[in-house]
Amino acid sequence: MSFSWPWALLALLVIPLVFATWWLTRLRRRRAVVRVTSIALVRTAMPGRSRWRRRIPVALLTLGLAVLAVGAARPQATVPVPSSSATIMLALDVSGSMCSTDVQPNRITAAEQAAAAFIKSQAGGPRIGLVAFARTAVVLVPPTVDTEQLISGLGGLTTSFGTAIGEGILTSLDAIAQVDPSVPPTGATASRDRRVGYADDVIVVLTDGSNNRGVDPQVAAKEAANRGVRVFTIGYGTDNPAPLACGAGQFGGFSGTGSGFGGQVGGAGNPFDADFEALTQISRTTGGMFYRAQDAGQLATALAKLPAAFTIVRKHIDIASWFAAAGGLLVAAAVVLSLWWNRTRRPPAPGRHGPRSS
């Protein structure tokens, strides 16, 4: 539980004043001396109260004031809420290493098949968009619920130089901003209020390499975090890549030998191995999760696990009204019990007929 106005908790200081007033009242009663002629009359007029009856109203009043003070601080509870209008952006790596045959028949084909199965499983649900990234990033299909359009977009993937993971995240953010006005585009200043929870939009990054082009992925991750957009990352491929083999439609502009492979410059990074540490940090920064997929089966499993994280988001709900109601009831109960138990008893009225004479 968090508080919107934590300084209002200073109202709890009124509780010691209640105890001090109660103690002073009891002290004065003890010091008061009343001379009466009939002890029986005093006993009849005074309310008969046990010790626990004297303390219950004070305890209820104290508890009520404490609850009201907490309510004044505007408490908020974090609860899971089903997402009603989610957008999922699938950002797919199409660098040259995706032609590796360590995943049968090759990485890019297995990724296409797994992504297609995921899209079909979400039919009639959230909007889905496709982004492909290599040396740069491009939107293949804007967020839509048209399953056929998405499947068609997957069929046109071709490999190219480089691995621009950061560009893939930023391009996905801009695609989300086109359909969700609550998410500012990347050129705008954004600062998320963490008390309102995450956006209903997420990005899934599937890559088999290390970033070597464009924006640093951690910078892009902070941009996503500032907009409340979670990024889920999938590190794809085995640790023992096999020879490259892509079909004519998949083979793009890269060279299989020399420093030009995968767009590597100066030998930076391994074009076949995903940077698991960087991907984990991206997900941690944005509130997402990292998954490892070494083959087609693990990739399908990772994608199948994602909807549970997408469709349930955590929202902060203001519960100050609950505290106000509970505190008011406790104070009212304290006042009612105090008045009832402290009421003055009337002595019994004398009979109409006087005492009989003997």
Side-chain angles (χ1 to χ4, degrees), residues 29 35 45 56 70 111 134 136 151 164 176-177 188 236 276 284 288 306 348:
R29 287 179 178 176
R35 294 183 179 180
I56 284 180
V70 174
T136 186
I151 299 300
I176 290 172
Y236 186 40
F276 302 139
R284 184 181 296 120
L306 293 176

Side-chain angles (χ1 to χ4, degrees), residues 298-339:
Q298 291 182 2
L299 178 58
T301 300
L303 288 172
K305 291 180 179 178
L306 293 176
F310 297 161
T311 57
I312 301 296
V313 297
R314 303 193 72 82
K315 297 289 187 179
H316 293 275
I317 299 178
D318 194 311
I319 56 175
S321 59
W322 292 20
F323 279 81
L329 289 175
L330 288 170
V331 171
V335 172
V336 170
L337 290 177
S338 180
L339 292 176

Side-chain angles (χ1 to χ4, degrees), residues 29-250:
R29 287 179 178 176
R30 290 177 179 177
R31 292 179 178 178
V33 178
V34 179
R35 294 183 179 180
V36 294
T37 58
S38 175
I39 298 299
L41 182 62
V42 173
R43 288 178 177 175
T44 303
M46 290 183 62
R49 293 185 301 160
S50 62
R51 180 175 298 180
W52 65 271
R53 281 192 175 186
R54 291 196 301 268
R55 293 178 178 176
I56 284 180
V58 176
L60 290 176
L61 178 61
T62 303
L63 181 59
L65 292 176
V67 172
L68 288 175
V70 174
R74 300 294 298 276
Q76 293 184 334
T78 303
V79 296
V81 178
S83 173
S84 58
S85 57
T87 298
I88 302 172
M89 292 301 302
L90 294 178
L92 306 177
D93 186 348
V94 292
S95 60
S97 56
M98 289 291 283
C99 287
S100 174
T101 54
D102 59 337
V103 179
Q104 294 298 320
N106 58 20
R107 291 180 180 179
I108 193 169
T109 300
E112 290 175 356
Q113 294 171 349
F118 173 76
I119 290 170
K120 291 177 182 178
S121 71
Q122 300 301 305
R127 294 182 297 257
I128 298 178
L130 296 178
V131 167
F133 63 89
R135 71 177 71 190
T136 186
V138 61
V139 177
L140 297 178
V141 181
T144 180
V145 293
D146 189 335
T147 301
E148 293 185 3
Q149 183 182 2
L150 292 165
I151 299 300
S152 176
L154 283 173
L157 296 181
T158 58
T159 55
S160 184
F161 291 106
T163 306
I165 298 174
E167 294 287 349
I169 294 174
L170 295 182
T171 301
S172 298
L173 284 175
D174 284 333
I176 290 172
Q178 292 292 322
V179 296
D180 187 350
S182 68
V183 176
T186 55
T189 302
S191 179
R192 178 176 68 94
D193 185 352
R194 296 184 181 274
R195 295 173 299 181
V196 302
Y198 295 111
D200 291 341
D201 314 299
V202 297
I203 299 171
V204 179
V205 175
L206 187 153
T207 180
D208 69 340
S210 304
N211 188 83
N212 51 54
R213 288 288 189 276
V215 178
D216 188 316
Q218 304 307 324
V219 173
K222 291 179 181 178
E223 290 290 325
N226 289 338
R227 290 160 175 78
V229 176
R230 291 166 294 168
V231 180
F232 294 78
T233 55
I234 300 176
Y236 186 40
T238 68
D239 297 327
N240 301 302
L244 306 182
C246 268
Q250 297 172 331

